Amino acid sequence: MSNKSPHPGTAAARAMAEHRVVEDSHFERRFTASAALKDQTFDFVVVGSGSAGSACAGRLAASPSRPSVLLLEAGGEAQNAPAIRAHHHMVRLWRSEVDWHYRTTPQPQLTNAD
């Protein structure tokens, strides 16, 4: 897979997956497409909505000057799918439609696994 893999969970990623583990109905449709943001400006952009990013964005948005805040997150589209929520399915997710497809160099001590 090239370095320009489609974002996990998108239709393009689902089409390129070696195998599918998440049903189409489990992908959330609540996220804003980047094209919808193209003509907007923001006072702050916070990348990553983990615990720190969410807290940072929340504090910024609640500040007295009321700045505009964009919180970006790459994941989450299928976070409630059974295959994602069950830890024992983790191995099934490799090279699936929700994998980022990042690979390392082949590891000789692991039969050249990447």
Side-chain angles (χ1 to χ4, degrees), residues 41-66:
T41 60
F42 298 90
D43 297 312
F44 295 96
V45 176
V46 178
V47 179
S49 66
S51 55
S54 295
C56 180
R59 296 286 300 268
L60 285 167
S63 66
S65 63
R66 295 303 224 195

Side-chain angles (χ1 to χ4, degrees), residues 5-102:
S5 298
H7 184 282
T10 62
R14 292 195 300 271
M16 292 177 63
E18 290 181 19
H19 62 279
R20 304 276 304 267
V21 295
V22 178
E23 295 178 29
D24 286 340
S25 63
H26 288 142
F27 284 95
E28 299 173 16
R29 305 282 185 243
R30 64 187 171 90
F31 297 96
T32 304
S34 57
L37 301 173
K38 124 179 146 161
D39 295 323
Q40 296 185 38
T41 60
F42 298 90
D43 297 312
F44 295 96
V45 176
V46 178
V47 179
S49 66
S51 55
S54 295
C56 180
R59 296 286 300 268
L60 285 167
S63 66
S65 63
R66 295 303 224 195
S68 58
V69 179
L70 173 64
L71 177 59
L72 298 176
E73 176 56 52
E77 288 86 349
Q79 63 191 5
N80 293 316
I84 303 290
R85 302 209 34 103
H87 67 278
H88 59 277
H89 290 298
M90 181 189 75
V91 174
R92 292 179 54 214
L93 301 177
W94 293 338
R95 297 190 174 143
S96 74
E97 71 276 29
V98 294
D99 186 358
W100 282 95
H101 299 283
Y102 291 132

